[in-house]
Structures are given as C-alpha cells and as structure tokens.
Amino acid sequence: MNKIFETPLYPYSHGPDEDAQVPVRHQVVIVGAGPVGLAAAIDLAQHDVDVVIVDDNDKVSFGSRAICFAKRPLEILDRLGCGQPMVDKGVEWDLGKVFFDEREVYSFDLLPEDGHQRPAFINLQQYYLEEYLVARVRELQAEGKKIEIRGRNKVSAIGTHPDHVALEIDTPEGSYNIEADWLIACDGANSTLRAMLGKDFVGRVFEDNFLIADVVMDADFPTERWFWFDPPFNRGQSALLHKQPDGVWRIDLQLGWDIDKEREKRPENVIPRLKEMLGDDVEFELEWVSIYTFQCRRMEQFRHDRVIFAGDSAHQVSPFGARGANSGLQDSDNLCWKLKLVMDGKAPESLLDSYDNERIHGAEENILNSSRSTDFITPKSEISRLFRDSVLNLAEAYEFARPLVNAGRLSVPCTYDGSPLNSSDALAGPNRTRPGSPCPDVELPGGYLLPRLGDRFTLLTIDADAPDLIEEDGITVERLALSVKDDPTLLLKDRYLGDCESAVYLIRPDQHVAARRPAYDDLQFRAAIRRATGKE
Amino acid sequence: MADLILTPNIDGADDFYADLLDTHDGMDTADSHALNARLVLVLANHIGDRAVLSQALKAAAFDQKEDTQ
C-alpha cells in the first residue's frame, strides 16, 4: 500500500473556534478538501479573503481517481501558484491511439498547435494534485494569509440565513458551531450538504460497470492514451491504458451490467484479466482497484443564496473525456473573482447568478460530450453497435470516419456564449477569441501571455492606444500593451487579430474575454466593465 | 467528374452522429434496417452523380480495385 494514503496530510488539531462562546464568523467556509475545494480556498486566500476548509477526512483521496489534467486547469493552477510542481511531476502526453479488435484504427494528436506554455494534458494522480495544493496552502499560511484546513471536521448540520450560513461541526473532541458569510460546497458527487439542503441531483444512469485498476509495472508502453474497442482480452467491451508518474498505469476495463461486483474486484479475478491484457511476461503490482458505474447529472441550480456548489457536488459526468476534476477547477476559477467583488461591495450579489449561468452552460456541455462518448463506447442497441463498429471499420481505411470515433472528447474549456457578462462582439477578429472565450496562450519575447493577464481585469491592447489604468465604479483595469511588431511567431496576430489591424480586449480575472473592439472607446469599455461585473 | 469525398466533411460530426442514433431510438432491429435502407436511397438521390455513387458503393464494400475514371 502506498504510504501517501495512510499519512494524515492535514491532521485534526483543536482550534480556538471550538472554544468560542459565540460562533466565530468567517468570510468563506469551504466544505471538502478535494481538488476543487483546495483550489477555491487558495484563490480566495490569494485575494486576502479569510477562508476555512473543513473536511471529514484528514488524508488525500484514496486511490488515484482523477488522473488527466487539461491545459486550461493547468493554466488556472499556474495562477494559483502551483502549476509548476504538477507539470514537473506529471506525465505529459498528447497522442492517443484507438484500437478495434486486434488492429490499430488510427491515432490522434491533441494539441497540434504551438505557442502554449502548458501541454494539452498531463497525467497525475489526484493524490499528488491534492498534496501540491495543500503545500500551496501551507505557503500562503507562512505568508500570513488567513487560510486554514481543518481535518476530521465533519459538517453535521447547516442553517441558512439571509446574511450568513451557520454550521455545526463534529470533531474527534466534540462538536462546535461556526458561521460563514458564504459557503462553498465542494463535497463531491455524494455531497452531504446537497442532501442536507434537500436539493435534487437528477440525470441519467448508465447501465454498465467499469473495473478501474492502478498497477505499478516496469513496462515499455509509450506515453500515449490507448483505447480499445472490443479487444481480444476483453471481448465485446472496451479498455483503456494510460501512464501516470512513478511507473503507475491506469487500466480501465468495461465489464458490462450483470456482474458480481465483489467477485470481480478480488485480486484473484482482477490479475488474470490484466495478465491477458498486458501479456504473461509483464510483472505488475496492483495499487488500487475499484468498480464503478456512472451517471451524468447536475443540480438544477448551483447557487442557493449563500451556499454555492462547485465541482462534482454540482455536476457529475462519466470519466470519458476527463471532464470531472477539470470542470470543477473551472467552476472555482469562475466563482472566486466574482465572490471577492461581491464581498468587497464592488459588484452586486446578482453577479453570482452569472456563475450559475456560465457554469451550468459548462456542465451541460460536459454532460453532453461525456454522454455521447459513453453511448459510443457502450452502444445501447444492436443498431447503435452496428453503426459504432462500422465507424471503426471505416476509420481505419478512410479519414472521413475518424471524427466520428468517440472514445472520449477530451476536456476543453467552455466558451461562455450568450453570457450576460459579455458585451457584443465589435471586432471582426478570430472566432476563438470572441467574447466569452478563454484566452488562448501565446508565446511572446518577454514570456507567455497568460501569466501576464494575471488574475485581475486587464485591458489588452494590440497596436491600439488606451489609458494605462481605468477606474470604473470600484473596478480597476490595467492595460497590457502589445504589438504585432513583437510577435515573431505571428500567433498573437493569428489568435487575437485575424485580419484586423488593431484590437482592444477586456479580459476578466478568469482570463475569459468580456469584450473586444478594434480601438479603445471610453464609453463602450466602461459599459463593458460594468456589464462584466453584473451592473448592466 | 466529381470524386467521392473521403475526408471529413460534416460540420459538427458528433451532433450528426447523435441525431442519427436518436432517429433509431426505440426502434426494433428490423425497423432500423429498413430506416437505414431508406436513408441510403434518400442520400443517393441527393448525390445523383452516378460516378460518385459508384465510388461510394465500392468504398463501403472496401473494394480496393482501381476505379476506372
């Protein structure tokens, strides 16, 4: 057994809140110290918010769980000050191969595009991600930020009030009460808070079981995502092989619906299956085995007054496409700057409704993509299997069928088309940077673009004049002036100008485009700032 | 003479595939086969060009013989 699962990462210790006569009020309490809760806490603490994370456990999540982290979440982690250790430790990959029966049908490259600081994907066990996030929390504490993780603190009751949330918390030494101006529920797919508040979580159940195994082996399989449809070692089903750091490999085997889960999970049944897949001569050791079924579903609303759900507690998808943890980190990225402005009185509370609007849009996109992948991987009728197998057969011979092969549409950030925070597009620029889009990275002589956008409102000017600083009703916007003269790769032009001569972009703290025009127009940009902060 | 297109040509391939399967949803296999047959005939009529249809028949049958064009 890997030691990381046994060592408490944030052990319980008796805190002053437990002895307070009157419940102590914090600005934000986050329930759940998984990737999303930790990321949200770090984001808020970096903005000097007083934040407490409570978790009923005190260790990293058991098993490697989420393993694929996409480019956009890595960029978010960069902004949170902990992207580098993840990328250093993670296994970078961008090639996927699809097999049907015994044949390789085709392979695909995830990011055939230059000028990005971060790779399309890294594979990293969730326990490392959590460990590095906790290390970042400790760093912030050392800098004097008000951020705390309380292990073995289990929420046992919640009371919602117009201006705060009250919590009763059980610890190994008894229970105590605290209050929060805002509560972020990041307590996972089986969210206790969601149940306590009696909120629904409906969607579609997929009638299938998957065996998930992490094995440690010395194998010379390449660093690629390998996906099999109907392989000889798992007839009629699918399989996935993926490399993680430390010689750990993720194996996913579809098992079908009518199986005895307990029986299939036993090593004496798992090992022969894996031997058949990997070959008799490969030595391996099981690190973690689990059997899962999945659902695609979401809450009807993510925000319930002062309780805001983020990550798996708000929405759940199948694992195909790596859209779980990746979308959860984007929830937190979307929420935290808005919450900070609302708490500081710089934006109306209604700005938080745009979190619902934008992230429900994201969740819908993720659910749609992951449901379709699942339908392709596990055809639910004879005809859908016939089409599926025909697509696979055609894909080997003809390029046209390859886009139809769906072994997971891998996580890409969502564009918030139609968001109330967007101003209408006034630039005949590239489609990929229209209002609502996440800013694509660009390599510039002085470094990459995204780190220079930081985590505040930015006015990005390309060969256009504008004030260096705009103040609009409490919101400060700093200018970042660029020119295609300093764009040797022409990627800035390609991604932000297209055929236009100049452009001015208003970019949100989460690095999504709020507005763009060919030139600076004071009235229009001030209106765009107000709109992007929920004031129009 | 037009050539059969064998490179990706459908905008929103996933949407199309989902529509295709939705059309079959709830049908028994015989009805689905009949639907597919009708669909082939409808699409063939739309294409019209006999040379293209002939290439399509060969492509679907994985008939690798050189087309005489």
Side-chain angles (χ1 to χ4, degrees), chain A residues 368-369 372 375-376 380-384 386-391 393-394 397-406 409, chain B residues 5-10 13-18 20-22 24-25 28-29 32-33 36 39 58-60 62-64:
Chain A
L368 180 72
N369 276 294
R372 284 177 176 177
D375 283 336
F376 195 87
K380 58 184 179 199
S381 71
E382 202 181 320
I383 284 295
S384 63
L386 184 65
F387 271 115
R388 203 275 308 267
D389 290 353
S390 302
V391 164
N393 277 319
L394 288 166
Y398 309 116
E399 201 189 324
F400 88 88
R402 290 171 198 166
L404 295 167
V405 175
N406 191 343
R409 295 281 178 249
Chain B
I5 299 166
L6 286 171
T7 49
N9 192 38
I10 303 173
D14 282 351
D15 293 332
F16 157 70
Y17 195 78
L20 178 65
L21 292 190
D22 282 350
H24 284 275
D25 201 25
D28 66 28
T29 307
S32 270
H33 283 313
N36 283 337
L39 183 63
K58 289 196 168 96
F62 293 116
D63 185 345
Q64 299 300 324

Side-chain angles (χ1 to χ4, degrees), chain A residues 487-509:
Chain A
D487 180 28
T489 59
L490 289 179
L491 291 175
L492 181 69
K493 177 175 161 42
D494 181 58
R495 291 171 194 172
Y496 289 87
L497 278 184
D499 295 327
C500 301
E501 293 287 305
S502 65
V504 181
Y505 281 78
L506 176 65
I507 295 167
R508 311 183 340 184

Side-chain angles (χ1 to χ4, degrees), chain A residues 210-246:
Chain A
F210 286 79
L211 175 84
I212 190 166
D214 280 338
V215 304
V216 186
M217 62 177 173
D218 256 335
D220 49 8
F221 297 108
T223 308
E224 297 167 354
R225 178 185 196 259
W226 284 13
F227 196 95
W228 287 264
F229 293 99
D230 195 13
F233 56 83
N234 197 23
R235 268 299 166 215
Q237 311 284 5
S238 66
L240 178 72
L241 179 69
H242 229 171
K243 190 182 187 177
Q244 304 172 58
D246 306 338

